[in-house]
Amino acid sequence: MLGAAAVLCVAPLALGSYQLYLAQLMMINVIAAAGLNLLTGNCGQISLCHSSFMAIGAYASALVVIRTGLSFLPALAIGTFAAALLGACLGYPARRLSGLYLALVTLGFLQLVQILIEEFPELTGGVRGLSVPKPQVLGYAIRSDFALYYVLLGAAAFAVFLADNLQRSRFGRAFNAVRQSAFAAQALGIPLGRTKLVAFTLAAGFAGLSGGLMAVAVGFMDPTEFGISTSLRQITFIVVGGLGSVAGSVLGAVLLTGLPEFLRGTQEYADLVYAAILLGSLLFMPRGIKGLLDDLWSLRLVRKPATP
Amino acid sequence: MTLLSLEGVSVSFGGVAAVREVAMRIEAGEIRGLIGPNGAGKTSLINAIAGVVTPQSGSIRFEDREITRLAPERISSLGVGRTFQHVELFRDETVIENVLTGLYRHHVYGLAPAMLGLRRGAEAQARREAAELLRMFELSSFAHARAGDLPFGIQKRVDLARAIAARPKLLLLDEPVSGMSEAEANAAIATARSLAHERGVTLLIVEHNMRVMMRLAERITVMHRGRVLAEGTPAEVSADPAVIDAYLGEVAHA
């Protein structure tokens, strides 16, 4: 743990500017994936509009800075809160749905958000996009990519801390219960609707935080960045990393965000490679990298307990 | 004191009547058996009490409170627990996590403390209670095993331990010994008995194994084709000609 933390703290000194940018994206994706994993991996609710909540967080926090002159951190908090609030608004009707119907409703929401961004260009910049000013944290302007990396690292660590605590609480258990047997969950007094609503709200909040950070890291917002392919990419992160596991969210987001670096020259086929990785991991490691690591770990270090 | 009372309860599925005009009273502290041939409507009745299906007519009262149209989680939090005929464990979770999930309504804390990790006291209490329950059900050695990997008889025990974790006043046991070996069934019966007596849990047990029921229940309600056919002590019920006819008829046709 400490070793990993040390590497994360020192790493940017050894990285080129493109790698540093990738490292920033990794942190951003870790936050979004951790949120999606709570909703999909733990609570079992599919969402195709995770990127829309990133968009809401991104536009809301950027617009607060641009329009009101508020500094970055309160704007980020407002963006996160706005995303969570809209997550609750979607979660309220969606809590009664599952499977295909839920997929369709979240897809509809994704389209709606895209259209709204494009239809209000005087506010959002529309299809031409929106430039985002450099962030100010506690009075200091964050100009260098190094400084921004540490801000993002701190945010990602905080998000992982929150998700991990949550998962090991009664709420995390309720999420897992709802996914595995709604019947049994209710018989134990766990309210299905309210539990799903909490999951939708939290996932949207994490996505909003991630989006707000993405806006300042990229410095420019292009509405097409928040389309279906970003949502699918988030799903790929958690499936490949390990559904329902915070470590899985981190592994999936870090490794797959870093993938372009390993796949230079296959740029046009990047989506194809992602698809192949998603299919391959579904077929060959259904519990993701985290599950695979657990298995390897137990093979090497712990004897399999005798079956009773 | 009457804990549960049913008045004219009818349940039907798409025109097929599963439960017809059932009336029943269960006293606090009682161990009540509910028996009947296959298709007699026992499980439908249990589901109606637990709120999983809504009766077309009639009224179900628990502790003098109307629960007929409440959501299952509301009924559960009033103190009605249940186990499942085909066990409904959270299969991917460990045994202790299953039992901890049963404690959801106890050791309560809010979302913000949960996320910030400020709930160690409540969590520690919950873990102690869960460990205690595992000891009671002789499940301690399986605490960290994945529930779905365990043999059926042990899964049944986990199901029961999890239901008890929710601290029910009335526990609905749907075929608690089905799929168990004779020895496991005996142990389960002993556990159920001691639960009822030590924890003051009232039991309503669905079972079509007559022998088990004779040893376990204090009073037995017999259902046949959705109706209550007879009610009384095991001795009274087993001597009732109508019951013998319904049961032996079934055996003879089987």
Side-chain angles (χ1 to χ4, degrees):
Chain A
M1 266 313 265
L2 283 175
V7 168
L8 285 170
C9 289
V10 181
L13 303 175
L15 296 177
S17 71
Y18 176 64
Q19 283 108 331
L20 188 59
Y21 174 66
L22 273 186
Q24 292 179 349
L25 286 186
M26 283 177 191
M27 300 304 142
I28 288 161
N29 283 334
V30 162
I31 298 169
L36 184 63
N37 218 342
L38 291 172
L39 177 63
T40 303
N42 294 108
C43 202
Q45 307 301 303
I46 185 89
S47 166
L48 295 178
C49 61
H50 205 54
S51 56
S52 303
F53 293 112
M54 293 175 75
I56 291 161
Y59 279 96
S61 58
L63 287 172
V64 164
V65 170
I66 294 166
R67 298 276 158 146
T68 71
L70 223 59
S71 81
F72 175 61
L73 286 181
L76 186 64
I78 290 170
T80 305
F81 185 73
L85 194 66
L86 286 166
C89 293
L90 175 68
Y92 189 75
R95 77 198 195 286
R96 297 193 187 282
L97 304 174
S98 60
L100 190 58
Y101 298 99
L102 183 58
L104 282 173
V105 164
T106 55
L107 189 62
F109 186 82
L110 179 105
Q111 296 292 355
L112 181 70
V113 170
Q114 287 273 293
I115 290 167
L116 288 177
I117 292 170
E118 286 169 19
E119 287 301 304
F120 293 95
E122 58 287 350
L123 189 66
T124 64
V127 286
R128 284 178 296 108
L130 184 71
S131 297
V132 183
K134 289 279 178 212
Q136 288 231 339
V137 176
L138 307 172
Y140 295 97
I142 307 274
R143 290 184 200 289
S144 81
D145 284 344
F146 284 112
L148 188 59
Y149 169 84
Y150 290 112
V151 170
L152 295 174
L153 181 64
F158 184 58
V160 166
F161 168 77
L162 294 181
D164 187 53
N165 278 329
L166 190 82
Q167 220 179 26
R168 292 186 286 120
S169 73
R170 59 195 284 263
F171 297 98
R173 287 186 200 114
F175 291 166
N176 285 325
V178 167
R179 181 186 85 247
Q180 292 172 76
S181 170
F183 232 8
Q186 282 184 304
L188 298 170
I190 296 170
L192 293 188
R194 201 165 1 122
T195 301
K196 289 186 196 173
L197 184 59
V198 168
F200 272 109
T201 308
L202 288 175
F206 276 76
L209 175 64
S210 161
L213 293 167
M214 186 166 153
V216 295
V218 178
F220 180 78
M221 282 192 301
D222 171 359
T224 59
E225 273 298 308
F226 301 107
I228 183 78
S229 65
T230 302
S231 279
L232 293 178
R233 209 161 272 211
Q234 293 293 335
I235 294 174
T236 314
F237 292 156
I238 61 171
V239 170
V240 172
L243 283 172
S245 144
V246 177
S249 311
V250 175
L251 284 170
V254 166
L255 293 178
L256 290 183
T257 307
L259 202 61
E261 185 64 350
F262 307 114
L263 297 173
R264 282 196 183 194
T266 61
Q267 279 309 336
E268 302 114 85
Y269 304 109
D271 278 342
L272 192 67
V273 173
Y274 267 94
I277 289 174
L278 179 60
L279 276 177
S281 74
L282 279 174
L283 287 172
F284 301 112
M285 40 178 210
R287 289 188 299 124
I289 298 170
K290 169 68 167 47
L292 192 70
L293 288 177
D294 283 348
D295 290 347
L296 290 176
W297 191 256
S298 64
L299 275 181
R300 225 179 25 184
L301 294 178
V302 192
R303 276 191 305 141
K304 216 180 163 193
T307 4
Chain B
M1 190 193 87
T2 304
L3 190 63
L4 180 79
S5 69
L6 280 70
E7 221 55 75
V9 172
S10 297
V11 177
S12 58
F13 300 102
V16 181
V19 175
R20 308 170 200 229
E21 303 275 318
V22 164
M24 191 199 257
R25 271 170 182 285
I26 297 178
E27 303 299 314
E30 192 180 338
I31 302 183
R32 172 69 63 95
L34 180 61
I35 63 171
N38 277 331
K42 298 166 302 212
T43 295
S44 298
L45 190 65
I46 292 269
N47 282 340
I49 297 169
V52 178
V53 298
T54 307
Q56 268 67 32
S57 59
S59 133
I60 304 173
R61 298 179 73 81
F62 178 72
E63 290 189 314
D64 261 335
R65 187 184 170 144
E66 183 75 37
I67 60 165
T68 320
R69 267 161 247 292
L70 292 185
E73 64 263 25
R74 290 284 302 130
I75 294 175
S76 163
S77 52
L78 291 174
V80 180
R82 72 174 299 179
T83 64
F84 298 87
Q85 186 178 348
H86 304 289
V87 299
E88 286 275 339
L89 292 185
F90 307 124
R91 298 177 58 83
D92 292 341
E93 310 303 320
T94 60
V95 168
I96 191 149
E97 280 294 321
N98 267 275
V99 175
L100 282 165
T101 310
L103 291 165
Y104 177 83
R105 287 237 157 237
H106 310 287
H107 311 292
V108 173
Y109 45 83
L111 192 59
M115 293 183 80
L116 294 170
L118 306 171
R119 33 87 192 157
R120 309 240 187 262
E123 269 298 293
Q125 273 180 17
R127 290 197 167 266
R128 267 198 301 278
E129 189 171 342
E132 183 52 45
L133 281 161
L134 292 188
R135 243 194 312 285
M136 208 171 111
F137 287 89
E138 295 176 10
L139 287 165
S140 303
S141 55
F142 302 106
H144 300 290
R146 182 178 171 274
D149 292 340
L150 295 169
F152 191 69
I154 294 172
Q155 291 198 16
K156 279 253 175 193
R157 235 149 73 201
V158 179
D159 195 17
L160 185 59
R162 185 182 66 180
I164 292 295
R167 300 182 201 161
K169 295 169 191 156
L170 170 67
L171 183 56
L172 313 169
L173 301 171
D174 197 354
E175 306 215 359
V177 302
S178 74
M180 282 190 181
S181 68
E182 188 78 27
E184 284 174 331
N186 284 336
I189 291 168
T191 316
R193 267 243 168 86
S194 68
L195 268 178
H197 291 137
E198 286 163 26
R199 298 209 157 204
V201 182
T202 305
L203 300 179
L204 175 59
I205 307 167
V206 169
E207 185 56 65
H208 60 216
N209 182 335
M210 209 48 169
R211 269 202 310 167
V212 168
M213 211 49 128
M214 292 295 161
R215 283 166 46 205
L216 188 53
E218 292 158 355
R219 284 181 76 76
I220 292 180
T221 301
V222 186
M223 280 183 81
H224 186 48
R225 299 197 178 145
R227 293 182 193 282
V228 172
L229 186 67
E231 191 178 308
T233 63
E236 287 166 6
V237 161
S238 57
D240 189 317
V243 175
I244 294 168
D245 193 45
Y247 252 85
L248 293 186
E250 153 106 340
V251 172
H253 293 298

